[in-house]
Amino acid sequence: MRLLYLLFILIPIPLSAQTALVTKIVDGDTFKDSTGLSYRLIGINAPETNEIGGHEATIFLDSLINQKYVQIVTDSNYDTIDFYKRKLCYVFLNGTDINKLMVQTGHAVTYTKYPFARMQEYLTAQKEFSSKPPMAHESSNLNQSNTDNLFSDKNIKIYLLLTLVIALMGIAFYYYRK
């Protein structure tokens, strides 16, 4: 019984938990619920949507939690509201820690500027991702959006080929008219 009592005292336990319906993904670490309340995934930092990897991080988070009920858990030992009035939280979907998953897949990094209870766990996940060979990163990345990306290598080659064909048709048309 004493051991159980010590565990409750020594281990930081998040006390505040709620369920929310995610209705809008703002970026790779921010979303809104059905009441319009903004949430920031605690302990991680995803690139902004206009930065390299930001669009992919946003799409990945969208594919995971948008239009789904998630469990919101605040870290009772630290701040629960950030400078922008967003609720800082861990997000769980069917028992999966979404914050950690964003780090494990390379869509975000561990944000260590402010302390949080799961910092060491997230740093370990980040280290494990970073130690994988580059090809493993690509295969572990659940969001393969290159085929949808306007500026992917395949689309650039097609664009250049079409431009060349149109230019040749223009030249042929010019000489044909003479």
Side-chain angles (χ1 to χ4, degrees):
M1 186 66 175
R2 273 190 172 167
L3 180 60
L4 186 60
Y5 178 73
L6 284 173
L7 286 174
F8 279 113
I9 291 176
L10 296 176
I11 297 176
I13 299 174
L15 298 176
S16 177
Q18 69 184 54
T19 301
L21 173 62
V22 177
T23 57
K24 181 178 183 190
I25 304 299
V26 176
D27 59 27
D29 53 31
T30 307
F31 66 93
K32 292 186 179 193
D33 70 6
S34 57
T35 67
L37 185 63
S38 289
Y39 295 86
R40 171 73 158 74
L41 278 61
I42 193 170
I44 71 166
N45 191 30
E48 298 302 318
T49 52
N50 61 344
E51 296 174 348
I52 295 173
H55 180 69
E56 290 80 5
T58 303
I59 289 174
F60 185 68
L61 185 60
D62 183 82
S63 71
L64 293 173
I65 65 172
N66 198 16
Q67 301 304 315
K68 296 177 184 164
Y69 285 94
V70 295
Q71 176 118 23
I72 305 294
V73 179
T74 57
D75 196 324
S76 61
N77 295 328
Y78 304 102
D79 291 338
T80 56
I81 303 292
D82 74 356
F83 177 78
Y84 299 102
K85 308 293 185 222
R86 299 173 297 189
K87 188 172 189 174
L88 298 171
C89 64
Y90 300 104
V91 176
F92 293 89
L93 178 66
N94 301 325
T96 300
D97 181 344
I98 299 299
N99 306 39
K100 184 176 175 184
L101 184 60
M102 293 294 289
V103 172
Q104 288 173 319
T105 58
H107 290 98
V109 294
T110 304
Y111 190 61
T112 59
K113 184 175 180 179
Y114 304 104
F116 62 101
R118 299 175 145 215
M119 185 181 292
Q120 194 55 50
E121 186 180 339
Y122 288 12
L123 285 169
T124 300
Q126 181 173 312
K127 185 177 180 182
E128 288 170 0
F129 175 80
S130 298
S131 67
K132 292 180 184 176
M135 291 306 288
H137 290 178
E138 292 174 20
S139 64
S140 71
N141 188 347
L142 299 177
N143 177 32
Q144 296 294 327
S145 64
N146 285 344
T147 57
D148 299 330
N149 186 350
L150 179 62
F151 299 106
S152 70
D153 288 340
K154 182 179 178 182
N155 287 343
I156 289 174
K157 288 175 185 175
I158 291 171
Y159 175 77
L160 290 174
L161 183 61
L162 286 174
T163 303
L164 180 62
V165 167
I166 291 170
L168 289 173
M169 287 175 61
I171 293 170
F173 180 75
Y174 175 77
Y175 283 109
Y176 182 73
R177 282 188 24 197
K178 284 188 167 187

